[in-house]
Amino acid sequence: NNSNNLRTKKNKINSNNNKNIKNIKNNNYYNDFKIEAHPQGVKPVGNLYFDSCCSNFYNCRNDSLGLFSLLTDEIIYEILQILDSKELCQLNQTSKIFNIWTNEEELWKRLIVEKFGGNFKFRNNFKETFAIESYLMIEKE
């Protein structure tokens, strides 16, 4: 009789746990924590470790970067910081990874401050602001 009571209690607990898990997954607050995918499919570096365990894993970094793949991301970013706008735009078109890196807001913010100081009107992002302000400057001349 005691063993039947224990079994019944265990089954009730398991049933309640399964219901709780389903309720959590179906509630809106669970869905609020889902992170939107990057528009270019970029994932955090930590995912590289987990993804590399999959049989169909392909790390496109080496192919996309060519000889730059020998450098760390930090060194590549340091190199990008010394390029001018024309060079960034040219590099932007060479690969998906460089397209993403050369659209980095901090790169364009630096170029705007160097070229216009504080004399500019911010648009949607710093790259667009740089392009429009540069165009307007040419028109004034």
Side-chain angles (χ1 to χ4, degrees):
N1 216 1
N2 280 341
S3 100
N4 282 342
N5 285 342
L6 287 174
R7 223 176 281 131
T8 304
K9 284 182 182 181
K10 185 179 178 183
N11 287 340
K12 262 188 178 175
I13 290 170
N14 285 339
S15 174
N16 285 338
N17 284 342
N18 288 339
K19 286 178 189 174
N20 288 338
I21 290 170
K22 286 178 185 175
N23 285 337
I24 289 171
K25 287 184 176 178
N26 291 329
N27 279 333
N28 287 337
Y29 67 83
Y30 176 79
N31 293 327
D32 290 344
F33 292 103
K34 289 185 180 178
I35 298 173
E36 291 293 320
H38 186 278
Q40 299 278 354
V42 176
K43 294 181 179 181
V45 174
N47 287 22
L48 184 62
Y49 173 76
F50 293 110
D51 289 350
S52 64
C53 297
C54 298
S55 60
N56 64 346
F57 172 74
Y58 171 69
N59 182 0
C60 66
R61 184 184 189 279
N62 294 343
D63 292 341
S64 295
L65 291 176
L67 291 176
F68 279 99
S69 66
L70 300 171
L71 305 173
T72 64
D73 291 353
E74 293 79 13
I75 293 173
I76 293 171
Y77 192 73
E78 290 294 321
I79 293 169
L80 293 177
Q81 289 179 340
I82 62 173
L83 300 179
D84 64 23
S85 59
K86 182 178 178 182
E87 293 164 334
L88 283 175
C89 288
Q90 289 170 336
L91 189 59
N92 174 286
Q93 298 177 27
T94 62
S95 75
K96 182 177 181 178
I97 291 177
F98 278 127
N99 174 276
I100 293 164
W101 274 342
T102 57
N103 283 307
E104 183 66 34
E105 284 288 282
E106 290 299 316
L107 294 171
W108 293 98
K109 185 193 302 185
R110 177 189 56 80
L111 291 172
I112 287 173
V113 170
E114 285 176 5
K115 188 169 183 175
F116 304 107
N119 189 20
F120 63 89
K121 179 183 174 190
F122 182 78
R123 280 24 181 229
N124 293 325
N125 57 56
F126 285 106
K127 184 178 181 182
E128 183 178 327
T129 303
F130 184 88
I132 292 171
E133 291 294 327
S134 297
Y135 176 77
L136 293 174
M137 191 170 100
I138 292 170
E139 271 197 345
K140 287 179 185 176
E141 294 174 353

